[in-house]
Amino acid sequence: MPSLRRRGREVQEAGGAPVAPDVPWALGPLLRDGAAALVARDVSGERLDVALVLGPEQATVRDAGIPAELIAALAAEAIDVRVVGEADVAGAAGADVVLAAGWPAAPAVLMLPDVRARAVLATTAAPVLGELGWATGVTLLGPAWMGGALPGGADAAYAPMPVHRREDLVLVHSEEPFGLLAAAELHARRADLTFAVSGARRDLDLPFEYLSVDPGGEALAHAFASATVALAPPVRGWRPAAVAMLVCGQAVVAPDDAAGRSALGPTAALAAGPLGAADLAEQLIADLELRAGRARAGFARVAGGWGATAAALAGAVRALP
């Protein structure tokens, strides 16, 4: 017969700590009772008081995948953001606006009483049991490729640099199969190309020799300003590598999916797979004018920094009902 034990007590007696499952527990009461009604009241003053509620097991906005630089930039837009942990969510009720740090935090925010306005700040996490409809109609604030309508941004480290851009250097960012397979195909086709790998482990065993790019924004910005063409991973989150590449004037080849089309538009070459990516990379390598045109389009599409994103986010937050 199976042994039945009280696991929490057993773990504590052994000197360990119970492991919390990745479950937004407020979702149960939300599904049962529905969201709390909003309260009509004026804002507290000229500066907007915004409470950002974190999700389970999150201690900082970075844990939620939201750029801390974006939140800090809201101060220049007359918005004061205070970060509230899930355990202290009741303290967010008096704010002018309550934002959930992604869908994991949304059930607790939707159940919170005495809230004037609320929304979800996008993260890569999807709504748990979203097929039940509880997330329908909830305002989502984020870049277009994350389901919102805000312009993209990039950290201050990413900017055009006065460095020589090589004519034979292919940069692969991350360990995604899309870019690595495309690079392997280019290596098989072209003996005259040099490869560099960034955003990956330094000890990768690859079928081609490569230069390893140090981690950190400054080193990545230098790489994005030096390569002839870059093979970018799929667009995800607030900080897609492909967007940072555009800010640095890099010619980009990226996966052709909905997020890539939304984030990059005509500024990047989009491919359905690695072989197509290798074809597009060769076109860019051979055509300096094409690369220059893509670089200009990238500069026009993404200004760099988080100022424009913060201004648009501030406008969206102030417009919440």
Side-chain angles (χ1 to χ4, degrees):
M1 179 176 179
S3 175
L4 303 179
R5 301 179 180 180
R6 296 186 181 276
R7 296 296 299 171
R9 179 179 300 173
E10 180 180 301
V11 170
Q12 290 175 355
E13 290 175 351
V19 178
D22 190 14
V23 175
W25 294 110
L27 181 56
L30 176 64
L31 292 173
R32 182 187 64 229
D33 302 328
L38 294 174
V39 176
R41 65 167 180 264
D42 294 333
V43 298
S44 55
E46 292 185 3
R47 296 189 67 84
L48 204 65
D49 175 29
V50 173
L52 178 60
V53 178
L54 300 177
E57 303 301 309
Q58 295 173 354
T60 68
V61 293
R62 290 188 186 277
D63 292 340
I66 298 170
E69 295 85 351
L70 170 62
I71 302 304
L74 289 172
E77 303 296 330
I79 292 182
D80 297 321
V81 180
R82 47 192 172 96
V83 179
V84 179
E86 183 191 34
D88 303 317
V89 64
D96 295 321
V97 177
V98 181
L99 298 179
W103 290 113
V109 169
L110 292 172
M111 291 294 295
L112 191 64
D114 194 29
V115 170
R116 175 189 165 275
R118 63 194 174 207
V120 174
L121 201 55
T123 68
T124 56
V128 174
L129 299 178
E131 65 273 15
L132 299 181
W134 66 269
T136 302
V138 178
T139 300
L140 181 66
L141 303 176
W145 60 88
M146 297 178 73
L150 303 180
D155 291 346
Y158 299 108
M161 300 180 70
V163 299
H164 171 69
R165 190 175 292 280
R166 292 177 51 165
E167 297 293 319
D168 65 341
L169 182 60
V170 176
L171 176 68
V172 189
H173 188 80
S174 88
E175 299 180 28
E176 292 277 354
F178 175 89
L180 292 175
L181 287 170
E185 175 66 19
L186 283 170
H187 172 68
R189 296 180 188 181
R190 303 276 297 264
D192 60 326
L193 296 178
T194 300
F195 295 87
V197 176
S198 60
R201 291 168 292 178
R202 298 179 65 87
D203 57 351
L204 290 181
D205 183 13
L206 300 179
F208 50 85
E209 292 186 356
Y210 64 94
L211 306 170
S212 183
V213 178
D214 291 335
E218 185 175 347
L220 287 175
H222 191 278
F224 296 164
S226 303
T228 317
V229 64
L231 300 166
V235 169
R236 301 189 188 100
W238 286 87
R239 287 186 170 101
V243 171
M245 291 172 181
L246 294 183
V247 175
C248 296
Q250 177 69 71
V252 176
V253 178
D256 186 3
D257 56 20
R261 290 189 292 272
S262 177
L264 309 175
T267 64
L270 302 178
L275 297 182
D279 293 339
L280 292 173
E282 283 198 290
Q283 293 177 17
L284 287 164
I285 291 167
D287 194 333
L288 174 60
E289 185 175 345
L290 176 60
R291 298 199 306 271
R294 293 285 171 81
R296 289 191 293 270
F299 291 146
R301 189 176 185 87
V302 186
W306 292 105
T309 312
L313 176 57
V317 167
R318 290 185 180 280
L320 287 172

